[in-house]
């Protein structure tokens, strides 16, 4: 966790009114959501004077959009943990099977186009004399734009946010919520929830913001197609800063990994190349999005000097989080507990600089809770699952173990 430079002293008028606090949540797939839930529960326990369900503005990107929408709808961090991490039976349960259904509709639509595309390519090659590779480039349009169906995300979240006391309509929320996607045909950010964008259901906006290209098909809304909001920026926190914010809390779950002989979990990894392509690609992706985040944080400091900005993210030496399966659920309890404890430790480690920064906005560190070694996020024994849920998770466990065996170098087995 890092913090921005000290903000300028607030005026008397600023001190008289209620502090304007905003929360920005970055994406990171299921792993990112698990980290953010654990970190938010640590903030909920470790900070006094901060109500995570009463922020003035929530900004969510991709998986962070689901968390932001839940908080804006009054769902407590611990309730998010019960639904997403502990797999409790009930109306709020988040079933990972929503994310594992093949995009059969997308496959069928693309397959129907294949004969015409092949015919056109053969004509361009044989009759028009174009080079073979040039002529057959058009056949690529038959490839699906995503392999998994994300329509269930919209359907299930619409049910979740339509329960009593909640809303699937941006305009009916008691606070401001912005969920950012990227318009595919222009590359522009689409701030769902802002004026002109607030007629779209919250569940549909989350589906669009989390539509990672290649994994999920683009989401069509109003005749336009939208994909993951992280393609444009990592946080998109300026939508809150431009409206006036005294304290901005940012959560970013994905950071590049720094190898170290003495890692937090005891592993010794001389080089990420030992992990093969998955480790190299993960480090590449994390480095790219984190470099954008660092530039964004520097911009926030320059452009919004009266706002305190606090960035909460994993330690870059944390091997547990780096080597966790980004789309795996088998480790979600372990990862959530790890994020909870690591965030508590970071709050303590940085209390000298963090305490006065938060105090300017009526927030204090609960040192007693932060130092309590008996405080945990989860119970030691998982709750019972339904038979269907048990079979699903057993299948996911077997699949992940198989992938881990395939990725392990032969000399280290």
């Amino acid at each position: 966790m890092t913090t921005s430079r000290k903000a300028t002293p607030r005026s008397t008028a600023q001190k008289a009114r209620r502090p304007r606090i905003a929360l920005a949540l970055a994406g990171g797939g299921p792993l990112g959501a698990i980290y953010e839930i654990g970190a938010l529960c640590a903030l909920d326990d470790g900070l006094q004077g901060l109500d995570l369900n009463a922020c003035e503005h929530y900004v969510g990107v991709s998986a962070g959009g689901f968390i932001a929408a839940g908080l804006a709808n009054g769902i407590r961090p611990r309730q998010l943990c019960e639904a997403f991490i502990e797999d409790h039976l009930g109306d709020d349960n988040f079933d990972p099977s929503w994310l594992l259904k093949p995009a059969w509709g997308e496959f069928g639509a693309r397959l129907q186009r294949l004969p015409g595309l092949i015919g056109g390519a053969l004509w361009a090659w044989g009759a028009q004399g174009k080079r073979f590779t040039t002529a057959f480039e058009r056949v690529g349009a038959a490839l699906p734009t995503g392999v998994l169906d994300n329509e269930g995300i919209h359907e299930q979240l619409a049910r979740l946010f339509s329960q009593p006391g909640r809303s699937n309509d941006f305009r009916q929320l008691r606070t401001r919520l912005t969920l950012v996607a990227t318009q595919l045909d222009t590359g522009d950010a689409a701030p769902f929830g802002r004026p002109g964008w607030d007629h779209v259901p919250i569940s549909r906006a989350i589906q669009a913001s989390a539509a990672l290209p290649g994994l999920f098909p683009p989401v069509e809304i109003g005749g336009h197609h939208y994909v993951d909001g992280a393609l444009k920026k990592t946080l998109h926190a300026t939508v809150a800063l431009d409206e006036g914010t005294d304290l901005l809390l940012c959560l970013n779950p994905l950071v590049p990994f720094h190898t170290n002989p003495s890692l937090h979990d005891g592993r010794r990894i001389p080089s990420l190349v030992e992990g093969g392509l998955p480790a190299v690609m993960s480090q590449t992706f994390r480095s790219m999005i984190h470099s954008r985040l660092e530039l964004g944080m520097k911009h926030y400091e320059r452009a919004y000097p009266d706002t305190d900005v606090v960035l909460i993210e994993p330690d870059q030496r944390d091997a547990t989080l780096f080597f966790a399966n980004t789309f795996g659920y088998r480790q979600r309890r372990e990862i959530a507990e790890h994020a909870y404890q690591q965030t508590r430790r970071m709050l303590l480690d940085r209390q000298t600089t963090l305490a006065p920064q938060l105090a300017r906005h009526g927030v204090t560190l609960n040192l007693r809770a932060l130092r309590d070694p008996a405080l945990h996020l989860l119970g030691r024994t998982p709750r019972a699952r339904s038979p269907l849920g048990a079979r699903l998770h057993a299948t996911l466990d077997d699949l992940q173990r198989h992938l881990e065996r395939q990725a392990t170098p032969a000399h280290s087995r």
Side-chain angles (χ1 to χ4, degrees):
M1 178 180 67
T2 59
T3 58
S4 71
R5 63 182 174 83
K6 182 177 179 180
T8 57
R10 294 191 296 159
S11 66
T12 303
Q14 286 178 308
K15 293 178 182 179
R17 61 170 169 76
R18 179 174 176 267
R20 297 168 298 181
I21 300 177
L23 180 64
L25 302 171
L31 175 62
I34 292 168
Y35 168 83
E36 289 180 343
I37 290 174
L40 285 168
C41 288
L43 295 179
D44 204 29
D45 291 343
L47 299 181
Q48 295 175 317
L50 173 65
D51 185 348
L52 289 170
N53 293 104
C55 293
E56 185 169 287
H57 199 155
Y58 298 88
V59 181
V61 179
S62 194
F66 164 69
I67 309 299
L71 293 172
N73 259 291
I75 303 176
R76 302 293 304 171
R78 292 276 179 169
Q79 291 176 306
L80 288 170
C81 182
E82 291 178 359
F84 195 82
I85 308 299
E86 298 196 79
D87 199 20
H88 287 185
L89 299 178
D91 293 336
D92 287 354
N93 176 251
F94 185 92
D95 189 341
S97 64
W98 302 352
L99 306 175
L100 298 175
K101 295 179 180 178
W104 297 120
E106 173 71 6
F107 295 159
R110 296 288 164 175
L111 190 61
Q112 290 179 356
R113 302 178 60 183
L114 185 58
L117 291 170
I118 292 178
L122 290 173
W123 174 261
W125 176 48
Q128 298 179 342
K130 292 187 177 181
R131 295 177 59 183
F132 180 84
T133 54
T134 302
F136 275 83
E137 282 180 355
R138 65 187 67 187
V139 179
L143 295 175
T145 56
V147 297
L148 297 177
D149 185 3
N150 53 1
E151 186 64 21
I153 297 176
H154 159 61
E155 294 171 353
Q156 296 295 340
L157 292 181
R159 174 188 58 80
L160 177 67
F161 296 141
S162 297
Q163 294 180 21
R166 303 173 187 170
S167 178
N168 198 34
D169 189 330
F170 286 101
R171 297 163 294 189
Q172 295 180 6
L173 294 176
R174 291 174 295 181
T175 187
R176 292 199 290 278
L177 170 66
T178 304
L179 304 173
V180 186
T182 303
Q183 189 169 332
L184 180 63
D185 292 324
T186 64
D188 295 334
F192 292 107
R194 309 318 309 137
W197 299 86
D198 53 1
H199 63 285
V200 177
I202 293 173
S203 55
R204 185 68 77 185
I206 295 173
Q207 178 192 7
S209 180
L212 183 64
L215 188 65
F216 297 115
V219 177
E220 183 177 359
I221 301 175
H224 299 284
H225 291 87
Y226 298 91
V227 293
D228 198 310
L231 269 64
K232 188 74 174 180
K233 294 180 182 178
T234 303
L235 278 174
H236 291 276
T238 52
V239 296
L241 291 167
D242 285 341
E243 293 188 355
T245 297
D246 300 317
L247 173 63
L248 173 67
L249 300 176
C250 305
L251 267 67
N252 171 55
L254 300 183
V255 297
F257 181 60
H258 286 184
T259 58
N260 192 292
S262 56
L263 296 173
H264 287 184
D265 65 353
R267 277 187 275 189
R268 182 181 178 87
I269 304 172
S271 174
L272 290 179
V273 74
E274 298 294 329
L277 181 62
V280 172
M281 292 303 297
S282 178
Q283 180 76 334
T284 301
F285 175 72
R286 289 164 179 262
S287 298
M288 290 173 60
I289 63 173
H290 199 260
S291 64
R292 294 189 312 179
L293 175 63
E294 291 175 333
L295 290 174
M297 296 299 292
K298 293 178 180 178
H299 169 69
Y300 300 157
E301 292 184 7
R302 294 192 304 268
Y304 308 94
D306 293 329
T307 300
D308 280 307
V309 181
V310 177
L311 173 63
I312 299 170
E313 60 183 10
D315 190 310
Q316 295 189 14
R317 299 164 299 173
D318 194 330
T320 299
L321 288 172
F322 180 82
F323 289 100
N325 187 341
T326 303
F327 293 96
Y329 280 84
R330 183 164 65 90
Q331 295 177 286
R332 66 192 184 284
R333 289 175 56 86
E334 172 191 341
I335 296 302
E337 183 70 46
H338 182 79
Y340 176 77
Q341 300 298 348
Q342 289 296 317
T343 303
R344 291 174 66 224
R345 185 175 297 114
M346 289 178 183
L347 291 174
L348 277 176
D349 291 344
R350 290 168 171 80
Q351 62 177 298
T352 301
T353 56
L354 192 59
Q357 188 176 30
L358 294 175
R360 289 195 287 272
H361 312 286
V363 181
T364 58
L365 295 173
N366 185 344
L367 297 179
R368 182 176 181 179
L370 292 174
R371 290 169 177 161
D372 185 355
L375 199 57
H376 295 277
L377 174 63
L378 305 171
R380 296 306 185 186
T381 304
R383 297 285 186 91
R385 298 181 180 134
S386 66
L388 177 61
R391 290 197 299 272
L392 173 63
H393 285 279
T395 301
L396 290 173
D397 289 351
D398 291 341
L399 176 61
Q400 184 168 330
R401 282 192 290 267
H402 174 73
L403 293 174
E404 289 171 350
R405 285 197 298 270
Q406 295 299 317
T408 303
H411 64 78
S412 62
R413 291 179 186 172

